[in-house]
Amino acid sequence: MPDTSPDTLEALVPDLIETMLEAGRVVMEVFETDFEVFGKDDKSPVTEADRRGEAIINVALARIAPDIPIVGEEAKSEGHCPDISGGVFWLVDPLDGTKEFVKRGSDFTVNIGLIRDGTPIAGFVLAPALKKLYWGIVGKGAWIADVPATGISNTQPIATRAADPDNLTIVASKSHRSPELEAWLAHFPKADHVSIGSSLKLCLLATGEADLYPRLGPTCEWDTAAAHAVLVAAGGHVDVTGGTPLTYAKNLATFLNPWFLCRADADFDVPDIGSPA
């Protein structure tokens, strides 16, 4: 198994950050054009930014860590998936929030997560339109930085906050809520709600800006892996129904996640989220 100790991963951070920035530049180049939108087999949208971003990341990761296989969203959608039975692999989503991207919104991200034995151990999340980069190594910590025209600046450590039951902030969409989500949110009638796209939902908890993020709907593992690692590195938790941790490589055919709940404060007791009927 490749060496994925926190110290070894920390040494890779500069190269991984440069990879994120390069992919982000390509994504923004496409964003600023009259790009075409294609449909995948699952009816979800894909653009040239998805494809070009993943290509850049794949080349870089193969150079940075040649012994670690890469599972990319776009490659998987085309039927390509490497052997990940060794237990360590990258999960790449070159453009999470493609619908926001297509609508010319700003809530889209580039994501690289590293999985070991089903658990996220490192993650990098770039919001190129917002000029923010988040990253975390479990056992080392988590950080945020500004992304000016070149490089990064104003790097700061981030950490989750303790929950105040009288002043909770929950990340949850104000529209398209399911009856199950509404029923769960009813346990917190005084909570403030914030809405943001893509993997930035988990990053809000990691930076201490929110307390809970219930996801009672479908996601894929590449949607969550990078930000999951950032949140855990910052002190948070991501659990499925019953309170057990969300794991990865659960179903190699689909890479689908079950419902899950993100908590900034692991000691804050909340109702179980249940599971789909």
Side-chain angles (χ1 to χ4, degrees), residues 53-129:
E54 185 163 310
I56 285 171
I57 292 169
N58 286 349
V59 169
L61 291 181
R63 172 182 57 81
I64 295 167
D67 296 332
I68 301 179
I70 306 161
V71 177
E73 177 184 11
E74 303 316 318
K76 182 64 178 68
S77 72
E78 296 172 2
H80 307 298
C81 185
D83 178 8
I84 58 173
S85 60
V88 175
F89 63 97
W90 300 104
L91 265 174
V92 172
D93 188 346
L95 183 55
D96 185 34
T98 301
K99 292 179 181 178
E100 281 293 314
F101 183 87
V102 169
K103 293 189 295 184
R104 307 291 181 170
S106 59
D107 298 351
F108 54 86
T109 56
V110 179
N111 302 265
I112 299 176
L114 182 61
I115 308 299
R116 182 179 64 210
D117 296 332
T119 300
I121 59 172
F124 295 77
V125 178
L126 173 67

Side-chain angles (χ1 to χ4, degrees), residues 13 51 54 78 85 134 152 160 171 184 186 204 216 237 259 266:
V13 165
R51 294 166 175 169
E54 185 163 310
E78 296 172 2
S85 60
Y134 309 81
I152 62 173
T160 58
V171 183
W184 192 87
L204 283 184
L216 278 63
H237 280 247
W259 291 359

Side-chain angles (χ1 to χ4, degrees), residues 1 5 25 47 60 97 124 149 165 189 198 202 210 217 261 274:
M1 181 179 291
S5 65
R25 286 191 288 269
T47 70
F124 295 77
S198 71
L202 288 85
L261 173 66

Side-chain angles (χ1 to χ4, degrees), residues 165-170 185-193:
D166 295 321
N167 293 282
L168 291 175
T169 297
I170 300 177
L185 293 172
H187 293 284
F188 309 99
K190 297 188 293 182
D192 291 330
H193 293 175

